Amino acid sequence: MNKENLVGILLELSSTAGVSGDEAAAVKAARSQFSLYTDEVKLDRFGNLIAMKKGEAPPSEKLTLALIAHIDEIGLMVTKIEPGGFLRFTSLGGIDARALPGQAVVVHGKKTVEGVVGATAPHLLSPRDRAKTVPFEKLFIDTGYDDQTLNNYVRVGDTISFIQKPLLLETGKRITGKALDNRAGVAALIFCAAELTGLRHQADLCFIASLQEEVGLRGAITAAYGLKPDLAVAVDVTHGDIPGVDEKKAFKLGDGPALGMGPNFHPPLSLAMQQTAKEYNLPFQVEPIPAHSGTDAWAFQVSREGIPTALLSIPLRYMHTTVELLDIDDLISGGRLLARLAARMNKSYLGELRGC
Amino acid sequence: MTLKDTLKKLTEAYGPSGEEKEVSSLIIGMVKDNADDIFEDNLGNLFVVKKGKGPKVMISAHMDEIGIIVTHIDENGFLRIAPVGGISPRLLVGQRLRFNSGLIGTVYHEKLKELKELDWSKIYLDIGAENLESATKSVKIGDLACLDQPFKEQREGRYMAKSMDDRAGCAVLVEVINRLNGELPQEACFVFSVQEELGLRGAKTAAYRYEPDFGLAVDVTLVGDTPKAPTMAVSLGKGPAIKVKDSSVLCHPAVRRFMIDIADENCIPYQLEVLTRGGTDAGAIHLTREGVPSGAISIPCRYVHTASEVVDKIDLDYAVTLLEKLLLSTWPGTEGLYSR
C-alpha cells in the first residue's frame, strides 16, 4: 500500500459517521479494507470488528497477537425536541462545549437530518455573558424543521455526528478532519495488515476495530475476554505539539509514533517495540504515562488472567474537535513498526519477553 | 396480592447495600409458588428461573437501597455516619434512620454559620443513648441503617415511599413472575440483585454465573417534569421508559428496537430515556464475558435518592405489561443482531 492509498482510506474513514454506540457505517467502511488483507472478517457479540490473519506456526507453537484500535468517535445524542423544532442534546464521549457553536451536524433519525449547533448571537448577549463560553445546556440544534415535522423524523436517543469534510493540506502529508481520533489508528492497522501480505509471520494476528471506547473502553472489555490473545498492542492517538502546550506533554508531528511506557504496559513488550523500530530505522518517540492511559490498553491489560499489552499512539493536534490534524508519515511508520513486530513474534520470542 | 401491596411491603423493608436479606426473604415468599427454580449466589443475589426453550434472558432489578454506615460513637452516645451509595447529607437532616435491629435514630447537624457548610463531618445520628456505654449496647461501628418512611398513596395511583429505587423494579418483576405460566419461548431468569448502588456489583457476578444471551434491567429513572428540572424528556405517568443511554450503558440498538416494536404492537405507552447521569444493572450485564446485548425498562421516579421517592401506577402497570409481553415474544435471533 502506498501513501496515496493510505490517505484515501483515512479520508474515507474520517468522513464516515460512527459515534459511540452507532458505529455501523464506519465498521462497514473498515471491514471492506480489512477483508482485502486478512483471512476472515467477522463481528463479535458486542459488534467489534475482528479481522483474523493466520500465522504459519504449527499447532503446538500457536500464539495470538491482538492489534486493537477503536473505531468510534465522539458525538451527541438527542435528549429533547422542543417547541419550534430546536433539539437539545447530550454528549457521547468527551465533548468540548467551547467547540460546538457553529458546527454543522447530522442527526441519524428515521431519516438523516442536517442541522447546525446554534447559540445566542453576540449582539444579544450582555458584555459579561459575551466573554463566557456558552454552557452545554444552553446549546441547541436547528434543523430548519418545526417540531411537528421533526417529530416524524427524529426521536429522543437518536445519535448526532459532526459534518466535516476532511482535507489533505497542501504539504501533501498532513490531514485535518473529524474522527481522526481514532480512525487514524484504524487506518494504521489496515496499513499494517497490507504490509504483512509481503511478510511471513508465525503468530495468528487479530486486528480489532473496537466500539464504544470513548464512553469507557466498553468494546475492548468484551473483545479482550472473547479473543484471549497472548499479547496485545493498542493503537490510538496522543497530543501533538502546538504553541502554548508544554513540549513534555506533546509529541512532534512527523517524528514517528509515540510508544507508551508506564504501569499500563508490559515493559519487555514495550521495549521490544522500541528495539524493533531501531532495527528497521523507523522513527519513534517515547511517551511516559504514569497511570490510566485512557486507551483500550487499559482494558486489555487486566482481562482474564492479564494480557501483556503495549500502546502505540499517533501524534494528533486539536483532539476532540472537528479539525484534528496529523501527519500521514506517522501512520506509515507506525503501521510498518506493528508489521515488523508481528512478523518477529513467535512462541520463543514471547517466552523471552515474559522472562521464562 | 396487588402490585400496590407488593410495593408497600418491599419499600418498607430494610435493605441497604450489603444487607439485602430481608428483601430477598420477602421476595422468595412472594414468588416461590410460581418459580421453576430459585437459588441465591455467594453475594446474595436471588435468582428466580422460569424455564423455556431457546436463548436465555436475564432480567435484573436491584434489591438494595441507599443507606448509611456508623463510623464513630462518641462518649455522649452520638453516632457519626458515612454514606452507603449516593445519598446527600442535606437530605438526611431531620430524617429517621432504621437499623436492622429495629432501632431508630434521627439525624441533625452541629451549629453551622451557613447551610452550605453542611457535610458528612457536620451531621450526627441520635439514637437516644445516654452515653457511649448505653449506645454500644444497641449499635456497633460498621452497622448499617436505611431511611425509615412509611409507604403512602398521595392520591389514587400516585405512590410515595423510600427505596422506590429499586423496589419498584422488584415489584414489577414479582408481578410478572406471578403472571407468567407455561413454557416461555426463551428461558427467563429474574435476578434480584445486590449492591447496585455501590457500582452494579451484584449484577456483575450474577451475569457471569448465568451467562445470558440477553440482558434487561428494570430500574427507576429521573424525570424532567418538575419545576426547573434539568432537560429530560421523561415525565411521570406517561408510561415506562425504554432506555437508550445512561452513564453505564448504550443499550443495544437491536434490543431497543425489539422493545419498541413490542410496545407499539401491544399499544403500550412508552417514553425514550436518555439519562445523562447514573447507571443501572444493564451496564454490568452488557460487559459480561464476551458481551451481552442489553436493554432496560425504566420507571419514571421523582426525587430519586430521597426519603420520598414518587412513582405513578400507570407507569408501573405498563412496565409490567411491557415486560410480560417481551418475555412472551420470541427475541431476535443472534444472526444479524450482533451486527447492530
Side-chain angles (χ1 to χ4, degrees):
Chain A
M1 183 182 290
N2 63 27
K3 191 187 278 194
E4 284 68 36
N5 299 141
L6 179 60
V7 166
I9 289 168
L10 186 57
L11 293 178
E12 190 204 345
L13 287 175
S14 168
S15 53
T16 307
V19 303
S20 307
D22 192 8
E23 299 92 343
V27 165
K28 193 176 166 202
R31 183 176 193 147
S32 65
Q33 288 297 328
F34 277 115
S35 59
L36 297 175
Y37 308 112
T38 57
D39 303 320
E40 189 195 352
V41 186
K42 60 181 180 184
L43 301 174
D44 72 4
R45 283 185 56 142
F46 197 82
N48 296 302
L49 175 67
I50 316 279
M52 301 293 294
K53 194 170 185 312
K54 289 251 176 296
E56 295 177 17
S60 63
E61 298 290 310
K62 282 263 179 235
L63 79 163
T64 304
L65 166 64
L67 300 169
I68 180 163
H70 74 88
I71 194 162
D72 63 316
E73 66 186 286
I74 55 168
L76 307 171
M77 181 179 271
V78 177
T79 55
K80 197 175 184 186
I81 303 165
E82 294 201 331
F86 298 105
L87 293 175
R88 299 287 177 176
F89 54 80
T90 187
S91 60
L92 290 168
I95 294 276
D96 183 350
R98 293 173 303 169
L100 283 181
Q103 181 63 55
V105 297
V106 53
V107 186
H108 301 273
K110 260 179 226 164
K111 77 173 201 163
T112 53
V113 178
E114 292 177 352
V116 292
V117 180
T120 313
H123 318 68
L124 303 176
L125 288 174
S126 68
R128 225 180 61 194
D129 283 347
R130 209 177 300 161
K132 286 189 208 155
T133 306
V134 189
F136 209 94
E137 59 274 11
K138 293 261 169 83
L139 295 168
F140 49 82
I141 289 167
D142 188 342
T143 63
Y145 284 118
D146 60 39
D147 49 318
Q148 258 185 331
T149 317
L150 197 56
N151 271 309
N152 298 327
Y153 306 139
V154 174
R155 303 187 81 175
V156 168
D158 287 343
T159 58
I160 302 161
S161 61
F162 298 113
I163 297 175
Q164 182 80 328
K165 187 172 180 280
L167 297 173
L168 175 64
L169 297 179
E170 277 186 38
T171 60
K173 288 168 38 144
R174 300 214 164 163
I175 290 179
T176 174
K178 75 166 180 69
L180 295 178
D181 173 7
N182 183 32
R183 305 290 156 74
V186 175
L189 290 195
I190 293 166
F191 185 83
C192 167
E195 285 283 291
L196 280 159
T197 54
L199 295 170
R200 301 184 65 172
H201 57 97
Q202 297 291 303
D204 288 339
L205 305 176
C206 183
F207 299 90
I208 307 163
S210 64
L211 310 187
Q212 297 190 28
E213 188 267 358
E214 297 286 2
V215 292
L217 323 178
R218 291 181 189 158
I221 291 171
T222 60
Y225 186 93
L227 291 162
K228 288 190 276 186
D230 295 284
L231 66 175
V233 181
V235 183
D236 210 324
V237 294
T238 188
H239 295 287
D241 56 326
I242 53 165
V245 170
D246 185 345
E247 62 181 30
K248 291 190 288 295
K249 290 182 184 162
F251 297 85
K252 278 207 159 56
L253 260 57
D255 277 11
L259 304 181
M261 291 295 283
N264 186 185
F265 315 113
H266 192 254
L269 178 59
S270 301
L271 290 172
M273 292 224 306
Q274 293 187 20
Q275 186 57 37
T276 305
K278 283 177 194 156
E279 282 172 28
Y280 290 94
N281 277 321
L282 296 166
F284 69 94
Q285 311 176 62
V286 175
E287 180 175 16
I289 301 176
H292 195 328
S293 63
T295 71
D296 284 341
W298 192 249
F300 263 73
Q301 188 183 25
V302 294
S303 185
R304 292 183 181 254
E305 294 123 80
I307 298 169
T309 302
L311 175 67
L312 180 149
S313 300
I314 308 294
L316 171 124
R317 293 175 180 162
Y318 325 121
M319 197 182 290
H320 285 201
T321 71
T322 53
V323 293
E324 293 176 333
L325 190 151
L326 57 74
D327 193 309
I328 199 75
D329 286 344
D330 292 330
L331 258 74
I332 291 172
S333 37
R336 285 204 174 119
L337 171 52
L338 292 169
R340 290 295 173 182
L341 180 78
R344 84 185 317 170
M345 194 55 65
N346 57 37
K347 209 150 192 189
S348 75
Y349 189 60
L350 175 64
E352 266 176 53
L353 293 180
R354 281 179 167 163
C356 56
Chain B
M1 199 187 286
T2 64
L3 186 62
K4 182 179 146 188
D5 293 336
T6 305
L7 195 57
K8 176 174 161 63
K9 280 215 161 58
L10 292 178
T11 53
E12 290 184 347
Y14 168 89
S17 305
E19 290 190 352
E20 299 88 350
K21 193 69 213 164
E22 184 178 323
V23 183
S24 76
S25 299
L26 273 175
I27 292 171
I28 290 170
M30 292 167 174
V31 302
K32 62 176 190 302
D33 296 338
N34 289 304
D36 293 325
D37 195 8
I38 292 193
F39 55 94
E40 289 179 277
D41 71 3
N42 297 331
L43 265 69
N45 291 308
L46 174 66
F47 296 69
V48 179
V49 181
K50 299 278 258 190
K51 291 269 182 244
K53 291 177 193 151
K56 303 196 291 182
V57 184
M58 168 173 160
I59 309 102
S60 183
H62 68 91
M63 296 186 289
D64 63 315
E65 65 187 291
I66 51 167
I68 62 92
I69 187 165
V70 176
T71 56
H72 180 76
I73 307 170
D74 75 16
E75 55 190 19
N76 297 318
F78 293 102
L79 277 49
R80 297 292 172 157
I81 56 179
V84 174
I87 185 168
S88 160
R90 285 179 299 117
L91 299 171
L92 277 183
V93 173
Q95 284 295 333
R96 294 171 189 181
L97 295 177
R98 180 163 98 242
F99 289 85
N100 206 4
S101 62
L103 176 73
I104 301 280
T106 185
V107 178
Y108 204 65
H109 56 78
E110 299 170 359
K111 186 180 167 195
L112 302 169
K113 282 203 190 83
E114 287 176 88
L115 201 58
K116 68 177 180 193
E117 286 177 59
L118 186 78
D119 62 19
W120 287 96
S121 72
K122 300 286 196 303
I123 66 170
Y124 58 86
L125 182 61
D126 182 343
I127 55 164
E130 284 164 13
N131 52 38
L132 176 62
E133 202 191 344
S134 87
T136 49
K137 279 181 187 149
S138 42
V139 290
K140 302 183 301 297
I141 285 172
D143 281 356
L144 302 182
C146 68
L147 290 157
D148 184 57
Q149 283 281 356
F151 174 92
K152 293 284 180 191
E153 187 162 16
Q154 264 188 307
R155 62 164 168 81
E156 200 190 340
R158 190 57 71 88
Y159 306 135
M160 176 189 278
K162 75 161 181 70
S163 71
M164 284 293 185
D165 177 8
D166 182 28
R167 307 287 160 72
C170 294
V172 167
L173 265 59
V174 166
E175 184 74 14
V176 170
I177 291 168
N178 289 332
R179 277 201 200 182
L180 291 171
N181 49 41
E183 196 174 49
L184 300 174
Q186 50 271 315
E187 184 168 296
C189 180
F190 299 83
V191 172
F192 297 90
S193 65
V194 297
Q195 298 197 24
E196 189 268 359
E197 298 291 356
L198 300 182
L200 324 178
R201 292 161 59 81
K204 186 173 181 176
T205 63
Y208 187 88
R209 171 165 178 166
Y210 183 64
E211 294 191 59
D213 296 290
F214 298 100
L216 259 188
V218 182
D219 204 339
V220 298
T221 189
L222 308 181
V223 290
D225 67 350
T226 51
K228 295 206 173 169
T231 302
M232 189 171 175
V234 174
S235 309
L236 220 58
K238 292 191 175 168
I242 293 173
K243 189 185 290 288
V244 180
K245 171 196 189 289
D246 64 23
S247 312
S248 70
V249 65
L250 287 160
C251 291
H252 196 289
V255 174
R256 176 165 39 107
R257 272 196 300 274
F258 174 62
M259 294 170 75
I260 289 172
D261 288 347
I262 296 297
D264 284 339
E265 280 167 25
N266 293 283
C267 298
I268 299 168
Y270 65 93
Q271 315 179 65
L272 290 169
E273 175 204 0
V274 177
L275 182 63
T276 53
R277 61 199 170 94
T280 186
D281 281 347
I285 300 168
H286 89 296
L287 297 182
T288 300
R289 295 181 185 257
E290 288 160 61
V292 181
S294 299
I297 298 174
S298 298
I299 299 154
C301 182
R302 287 183 184 165
Y303 323 122
V304 172
H305 286 201
T306 74
S308 302
E309 299 177 330
V310 174
V311 299
D312 196 290
K313 183 173 188 293
I314 290 172
D315 301 327
L316 291 169
D317 286 345
Y318 281 117
V320 168
T321 315
L322 177 57
L323 181 57
E324 187 187 12
K325 296 290 181 196
L326 283 170
L327 297 178
L328 288 171
S329 309
T330 302
W331 283 55
T334 50
E335 235 170 278
L337 175 66
Y338 303 133
S339 67
R340 293 187 165 256

